[in-house]
């Protein structure tokens, strides 16, 4: 069982219907997600001590960090 909050980018919402509908094809955020999904983040995941509430997965946090740096 994972110690992280599950990552589900396909989840439908009431408004808007899907996160996929927010971003046009070729958007930088889509590129960042694709690249990070191909990375081996086992070192980051393994370093998590598992204390307190469920944490967000390092894949999500790294994506936010990279996208933030890329967009200034």
């Amino acid at each position: 069982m994972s110690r992280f909050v599950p990552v589900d980018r396909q989840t439908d919402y009431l408004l808007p219907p899907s996160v996929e509908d927010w971003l046009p094809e070729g958007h930088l955020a889509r590129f960042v997600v694709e690249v990070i999904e191909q990375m081996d983040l086992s070192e980051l995941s393994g370093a998590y001590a598992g204390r307190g509430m469920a944490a967000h997965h390092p894949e999500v946090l790294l994506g936010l960090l990279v996208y933030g740096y890329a967009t200034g």
Side-chain angles (χ1 to χ4, degrees):
M1 183 169 164
S2 177
R3 300 173 292 181
F4 301 108
V5 174
V7 177
D8 183 9
R9 292 186 180 90
Q10 306 303 320
T11 301
D12 291 337
Y13 294 92
L14 295 175
L15 293 172
S18 172
V19 174
E20 295 292 322
D21 294 340
W22 287 352
L23 299 174
E25 292 296 323
H27 192 277
L28 176 62
R30 289 183 186 265
F31 174 74
V32 169
V33 167
E34 288 177 20
V35 170
I36 290 177
E37 284 178 344
Q38 296 175 16
M39 295 174 69
D40 177 20
L41 301 178
S42 59
E43 290 286 327
L44 289 174
S45 301
Y48 176 64
R51 296 185 192 98
M53 296 177 61
H56 292 282
H57 198 282
E59 182 179 302
V60 173
L61 299 176
L62 181 60
L64 289 171
L65 182 68
V66 170
Y67 183 78
Y69 275 114
T71 59

